[in-house]
Amino acid sequence: MSTNFNEFDILFYNFFYPTSGYGSAATTKQPHPLNIFYDDAGLHFEVACTGLTKDEVSVDIEDDILKISYNKAEEEKELHPGTIHRGLSKKSFNLGYKISAKYDLSLALAKLENGLLEISIPVAEKAKPKTIKIK
């Protein structure tokens, strides 16, 4: 697989601002903490999901779009009277990525462990290098 990153391989779309359109994931400011990288095996996402369970996070595939979301339930929780600082919060997020045809979304795998959602999308068989036998 080529080591040059093609910014058209994955594209970012912010569902909170539908008028933003698509832009390169490499150059667009991401609204939620995550890592996106690729290797010879495929494309990988690591999404921060601190304090969330696998039942609260949704990973959906529609055509060539990978959607990752969490919708915070409305709660009226009073802060503890001794609260000095509140730095942790569960915020809703809704991420969408247009995935290149060189990755096979039908074989994508996701796991949530220790507050980190890991999604792996393998390289499609048709995109792997092939050797042609000379006759």
Side-chain angles (χ1 to χ4, degrees), residues 1 5 8 12 14 23 36 39 54 59 69 82-83 99 105 122 134:
M1 181 187 293
F5 180 74
F8 296 106
F12 168 75
N14 188 337
I36 304 171
D39 57 20
K54 65 181 181 179
V59 178
S69 61
T83 300
I99 306 299
L105 273 169
I134 302 172

Side-chain angles (χ1 to χ4, degrees), residues 11 20 68 74 90 94 115:
L11 297 171
S20 69
I68 308 163
E74 291 296 322
K90 293 181 182 179
N94 196 348

Side-chain angles (χ1 to χ4, degrees), residues 24-35:
S24 164
T27 59
T28 304
K29 183 177 181 338
Q30 302 297 317
H32 188 77
L34 76 149
N35 295 326

Side-chain angles (χ1 to χ4, degrees), residues 41-108:
L43 185 60
H44 308 279
F45 292 78
E46 296 175 334
V47 183
C49 293
T50 307
L52 302 178
T53 66
K54 65 181 181 179
D55 295 327
E56 295 174 304
V57 179
S58 177
V59 178
D60 300 302
I61 296 170
E62 283 184 31
D63 298 320
D64 59 352
I65 306 290
L66 173 68
K67 295 180 179 180
I68 308 163
S69 61
Y70 162 70
N71 292 314
K72 179 181 177 183
E74 291 296 322
E75 60 181 75
E76 292 186 29
K77 186 176 180 183
E78 291 290 322
L79 291 177
H80 185 278
T83 300
I84 296 170
H85 174 73
R86 184 173 181 188
L88 296 177
S89 67
K90 293 181 182 179
K91 296 180 181 178
S92 294
F93 58 88
N94 196 348
L95 309 170
Y97 299 91
K98 181 173 176 62
I99 306 299
S100 168
K102 78 181 201 180
Y103 300 104
D104 190 346
L105 273 169
S106 68
L107 299 176

